[in-house]
């Protein structure tokens, strides 16, 4: 429910931003709605309404930016229609908007005045690292590429035989010196890794099916497996890199620790602030009355 309220409130602010901000002549206009203009700075201001995690996600995804721009324009167009029909003057609409605005105002106040003021001293992060060593242990890992010749579970023995022969032909090309990544890009049936030359990144034990795992962890960097059969079909596996089991250093773990402690302490600070505010406001709650028919 909180997410819905926050999203609705952001939508209100998005529309308000278009209405209240005049576009400078020198700025690029990314959308127009009759005499209203949305510029790059308008859009960036709107993105600033989202939390930092969402902002990073939006910044990395041009398609998401386009989606938000379309939503902004659509909301503005529909909001204008609603106003032209007097919806913003209807008492029940005003009442609902006040409800959403109050929830958004409360959330923003808690975020800016309480959560964002929480600080994590260096010594606290170091103490957490020292006291939770198990959390920072890293397992043995290998970075692998693979080429998959897919076989459906319902495939006939003849189809399985043909698929294995295809995999053996590909393996022969690799042994003759053809590039593994190029062959994966052209011949693999795994859509998730095909575009990256069959690269699956680093995997640890227990993350893949057993025959694949056994073959991958038996290889040294640069080595290529034979044809490996799993329930998905026939694989050819190449290990690019190997990482032995170890413990992540404090410097590498520090940012993750900061985020965790910040989230935990922010949550606690917000809860304590709300409890104190409720007490000072002399709040009385009678939820039992809601149960009456």
């Amino acid at each position: 429910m909180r997410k819905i309220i926050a999203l609705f409130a952001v939508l209100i602010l998005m529309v308000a931003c278009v209405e209240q901000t005049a576009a400078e002549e020198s700025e690029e206009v990314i959308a127009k709605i009759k005499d209203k203009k949305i510029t790059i700075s308008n859009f960036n201001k709107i993105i600033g309404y989202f939390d930092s995690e969402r902002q990073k996600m939006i910044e990395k995804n041009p398609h998401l930016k386009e989606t938000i721009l379309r939503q902004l324009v659509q909301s503005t167009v529909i909001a204008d229609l609603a106003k032209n029909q007097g919806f913003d003057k209807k008492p029940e609409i005003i009442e609902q908007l006040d409800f959403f605005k109050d929830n958004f105002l409360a959330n923003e106040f808690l975020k800016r005045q309480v959560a964002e003021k929480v600080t994590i001293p260096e010594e606290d992060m170091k103490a957490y690292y020292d006291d939770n060593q198990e959390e920072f242990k890293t397992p043995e890992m290998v970075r692998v590429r693979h080429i998959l010749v897919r076989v459906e579970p319902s495939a006939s023995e003849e189809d399985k035989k043909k698929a294995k022969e295809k995999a053996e032909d590909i393996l022969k090309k690799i042994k003759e010196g053809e590039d593994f990544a190029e062959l994966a890009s052209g011949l693999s049936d795994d859509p998730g890794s095909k575009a990256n030359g069959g690269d699956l990144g680093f995997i640890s034990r227990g993350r893949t099916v057993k025959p694949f795992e056994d073959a991958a962890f038996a290889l040294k960097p640069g080595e290529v497996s034979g044809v490996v059969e799993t329930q998905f079909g026939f694989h050819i596996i190449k290990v690019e890199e190997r990482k032995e089991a170890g413990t992540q250093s404090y410097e590498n773990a520090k940012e993750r620790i900061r985020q965790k402690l910040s989230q935990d302490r922010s949550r606690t600070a917000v809860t304590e602030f709300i409890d104190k505010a409720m007490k000072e406001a002399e709040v009385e709650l009678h939820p039992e009355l809601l149960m009456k028919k």
Side-chain angles (χ1 to χ4, degrees):
M1 180 64 180
R2 286 182 180 178
K3 288 184 178 180
I4 294 171
I5 290 169
L7 181 60
F8 190 91
V10 168
L11 207 58
I12 293 170
L13 287 169
M14 289 164 76
V15 174
C17 182
V18 175
E19 293 176 342
Q20 296 170 6
T21 308
E24 296 180 10
E25 291 299 321
S26 60
E27 280 199 87
E28 288 184 297
V29 175
I30 55 175
K32 285 179 68 177
I33 307 154
K34 293 185 178 178
D35 58 340
K36 294 177 183 176
K37 296 177 181 179
I38 303 174
T39 66
I40 293 289
S41 64
N42 294 151
F43 185 79
N44 289 337
K45 183 178 180 181
I46 288 160
I47 298 305
Y49 294 144
F50 294 97
D51 59 54
S52 57
E53 187 177 332
R54 284 197 180 97
Q55 287 182 42
K56 289 176 184 176
M57 183 172 65
I58 292 166
E59 190 57 40
K60 294 177 182 177
N61 191 335
H63 295 296
L64 191 51
K65 287 184 179 181
E66 182 181 346
T67 297
I68 292 170
L69 178 61
R70 288 184 183 278
Q71 288 176 344
L72 170 59
V73 171
Q74 289 169 7
S75 298
T76 304
V77 168
I78 302 305
D80 284 346
L81 287 175
K83 289 171 186 175
N84 290 339
Q85 294 183 30
F87 263 64
D88 57 327
K89 302 295 191 295
K90 291 180 179 287
E92 68 273 21
I93 299 295
I94 293 171
E95 187 177 325
Q96 288 181 62
L97 287 174
D98 285 343
F99 169 75
F100 287 121
K101 286 178 181 178
D102 283 348
N103 275 274
F104 182 77
L105 182 63
N107 287 336
E108 283 298 300
F109 180 83
L110 290 171
K111 182 179 79 173
R112 299 184 189 191
Q113 295 299 111
V114 183
E116 289 182 356
K117 291 187 177 181
V118 170
T119 58
I120 311 297
E122 180 82 20
E123 58 266 28
D124 288 4
M125 291 190 287
K126 187 66 170 65
Y128 182 90
Y129 177 81
D130 292 338
D131 293 342
N132 296 274
Q133 283 289 289
E134 284 296 319
E135 187 178 326
F136 304 102
K137 287 186 177 179
T138 55
E140 180 187 17
M141 303 178 79
V142 288
R143 181 183 162 209
V144 298
R145 293 182 188 272
H146 83 136
I147 297 170
L148 170 65
V149 179
R150 187 177 297 280
V151 178
E152 298 299 328
S154 59
S156 66
E157 288 302 317
E158 182 62 27
D159 287 340
K160 287 182 182 179
K161 182 181 176 183
K162 288 179 180 178
K164 186 175 183 181
E165 288 173 352
K166 181 180 177 182
E168 288 170 344
D169 286 341
I170 295 171
L171 179 59
K172 184 180 177 183
K173 292 177 188 291
I174 294 167
K175 289 180 176 179
E176 289 173 351
E178 292 195 39
D179 185 76
F180 192 102
E182 287 183 8
L183 288 169
S185 296
L187 300 174
S188 180
D189 292 329
D190 176 15
S193 66
K194 181 174 182 174
N196 298 320
D199 194 350
L200 294 174
F202 280 96
I203 62 169
S204 56
R205 293 185 186 275
R207 299 296 299 273
T208 62
V209 292
K210 194 71 166 57
F212 189 101
E213 174 188 298
D214 290 344
F217 279 89
L219 297 170
K220 295 176 182 177
E223 288 185 339
V224 176
S225 72
V227 174
V228 178
E229 184 177 2
T230 72
Q231 67 246 44
F232 303 107
F234 297 98
H235 308 255
I236 303 166
I237 304 164
K238 180 181 181 181
V239 167
E240 296 282 6
E241 194 176 344
R242 195 178 195 102
K243 287 183 180 179
E244 298 302 324
T247 302
Q248 189 178 16
S249 70
Y250 171 67
E251 285 304 316
N252 289 336
K254 186 161 71 171
E255 187 53 38
R256 178 156 66 96
I257 296 170
R258 188 197 308 279
Q259 289 177 4
K260 182 184 184 342
L261 293 181
S262 180
Q263 288 172 359
D264 291 347
R265 294 184 184 184
S266 294
R267 194 179 299 113
T268 299
V270 166
T271 300
E272 290 174 351
F273 185 92
I274 291 172
D275 289 344
K276 182 173 181 290
M278 295 278 280
K279 186 176 180 180
E280 290 175 353
E282 299 179 3
V283 171
E284 287 187 25
L285 287 172
H286 300 285
E288 69 280 0
L289 298 178
L290 297 172
M291 307 305 164
K292 290 185 177 182
K293 292 183 179 179

